[in-house]
């Protein structure tokens, strides 16, 4: 392990995490009304109906797979009765299918954004950067999986990359574990760090929101055009206003 390994696998992760957290705090405080997906569905919906579900369902499976592979130690799955062979086959098959679905959905969304005039006009530089980095992360991740586990003889990332990932959050970084990983896995990890660093400044912030406020928000009051109230007493929240 040398100084470059320390920069790439210790300094860069903590820098990305710091920007990710503080960037979201800043964005929410100073650009709360910009915290949105800036939906373009009103401009075009045919391609969106195909690309959006394909991308979102695919990326959800990819995310769950990464959580299971990086966060849960190998010893835990083995203790639960999941052998290495079963885990490996499941991870490769599901990961490859989900990666292809995610990449295909993203390709449709990018094609739509480039070819539909109003959608392209509404595309900002941040959007272009986000799409480029997101595409890079997905392509490198899919390439690493195919090269190591389908074309190659297999690579157990749970003995190197996963412990390194957990060591970052345990504040005991082990850069040497990543230094020996295959190049495609290293590039995938570095591109993911870049994605997390730019995340707070793009439309990806919508992933961290949920319409919880709708559960407690007051009724929307509509004004009636009828001067004569109905014979039935209106329900609470539907009383006519004057």
């Amino acid at each position: 392990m040398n100084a470059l390994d320390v920069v790439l696998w210790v300094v860069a992760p903590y820098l990305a995490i710091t920007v990710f957290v503080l960037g979201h705090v800043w964005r929410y405080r100073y650009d709360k009304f910009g915290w949105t997906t800036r939906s373009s569905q009103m401009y075009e919906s045919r391609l969106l109906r195909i690309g959006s579900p394909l991308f979102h369902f695919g990326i959800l499976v990819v995310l769950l797979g990464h959580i299971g592979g990086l966060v849960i130690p190998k010893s835990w799955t083995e203790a639960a009765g999941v052998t290495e062979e079963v885990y490996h086959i499941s991870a490769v098959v599901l990961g490859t299918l989900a990666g292809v679905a995610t990449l295909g959905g993203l390709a449709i969304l990018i094609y739509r954004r480039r070819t539909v005039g109003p959608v392209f006009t509404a595309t900002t530089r941040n959007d272009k950067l986000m799409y480029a980095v997101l595409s890079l992360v997905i392509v490198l991740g899919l390439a690493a999986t195919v090269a190591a586990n389908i074309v190659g003889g297999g690579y157990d990332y749970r003995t190197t990359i996963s412990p390194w990932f957990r060591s970052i959050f345990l504040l005991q970084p082990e850069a040497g574990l990543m230094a020996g990983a295959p190049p495609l896995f290293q590039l995938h990890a570095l591109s993911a760090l870049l994605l997390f660093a730019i995340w707070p400044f793009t439309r990806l912030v919508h992933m961290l929101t949920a319409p919880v406020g709708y559960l407690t928000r007051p009724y929307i009051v509509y004004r009636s055009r009828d001067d004569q109230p109905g014979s039935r007493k209106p329900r609470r929240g539907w009383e006519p206003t004057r």
Side-chain angles (χ1 to χ4, degrees):
M1 186 176 63
N2 52 40
L4 180 60
D5 293 328
V6 174
V7 172
L8 294 179
W9 311 120
V10 178
V11 177
Y14 286 119
L15 184 61
I17 293 173
T18 301
V19 175
F20 182 85
V21 174
L22 296 183
H24 279 93
V25 173
W26 174 87
R27 179 78 180 271
Y28 187 80
R29 182 171 181 179
Y30 294 104
D31 189 28
K32 186 179 297 186
F33 291 104
W35 192 294
T36 172
T37 61
R38 296 199 309 278
S39 176
S40 58
Q41 184 176 2
M42 62 182 297
Y43 300 128
E44 195 278 338
S45 60
R46 184 177 63 86
L47 290 173
L48 187 64
R49 283 198 299 265
I50 301 173
S52 183
L54 195 60
F55 170 78
H56 284 92
F57 282 115
I59 201 69
L60 179 61
V61 175
V62 170
L63 178 62
L64 292 176
H66 277 68
I67 293 176
L70 296 177
V71 177
I72 301 177
K74 182 178 180 180
S75 58
W76 290 18
T77 56
E78 291 178 343
V82 180
T83 64
E84 173 60 26
E85 182 180 3
V86 171
Y87 179 89
H88 177 76
I89 294 176
S90 301
V92 171
V93 173
L94 290 177
T96 302
L97 292 176
V100 171
T102 304
L103 187 60
L106 183 61
I108 294 174
L109 294 177
I110 293 176
Y111 172 80
R112 170 182 176 270
R113 187 161 291 276
R114 183 63 185 86
T115 59
V116 178
V119 180
F120 181 70
T121 303
T123 303
T124 65
R125 292 182 179 178
N126 269 6
D127 292 332
K128 296 176 182 178
L129 176 62
M130 180 270 294
Y131 277 113
V133 176
L134 184 59
S135 299
L136 181 64
V137 174
I138 296 172
V139 169
L140 286 174
L142 190 57
T145 299
V146 172
N149 297 302
I150 297 180
V151 179
Y155 176 70
D156 188 5
Y157 67 91
R158 293 196 297 166
T159 60
T160 54
I161 299 175
S162 298
W164 165 80
F165 179 83
R166 294 192 295 269
S167 73
I168 294 296
F169 293 94
L170 293 175
L171 302 182
Q172 297 175 343
E174 300 182 36
L177 293 174
M178 275 301 295
L184 279 176
F185 283 91
Q186 292 179 335
L187 292 174
H188 177 55
L190 291 174
S191 63
L193 292 178
L194 176 60
L195 179 64
F196 285 122
I198 68 171
W199 190 298
F201 314 105
T202 67
R203 65 174 64 203
L204 292 176
V205 293
H206 77 274
M207 180 181 172
L208 302 179
T209 58
V212 178
Y214 282 92
L215 300 176
T216 57
R217 66 177 295 177
Y219 291 107
I220 298 177
V221 179
Y222 292 90
R223 295 183 179 276
S224 174
R225 294 182 178 180
D226 189 1
D227 293 334
Q228 300 295 328
S231 59
R232 186 173 59 181
K233 184 179 180 180
R235 292 181 298 170
R236 177 178 173 270
W238 292 89
E239 298 87 350
T241 58
R242 302 297 181 186

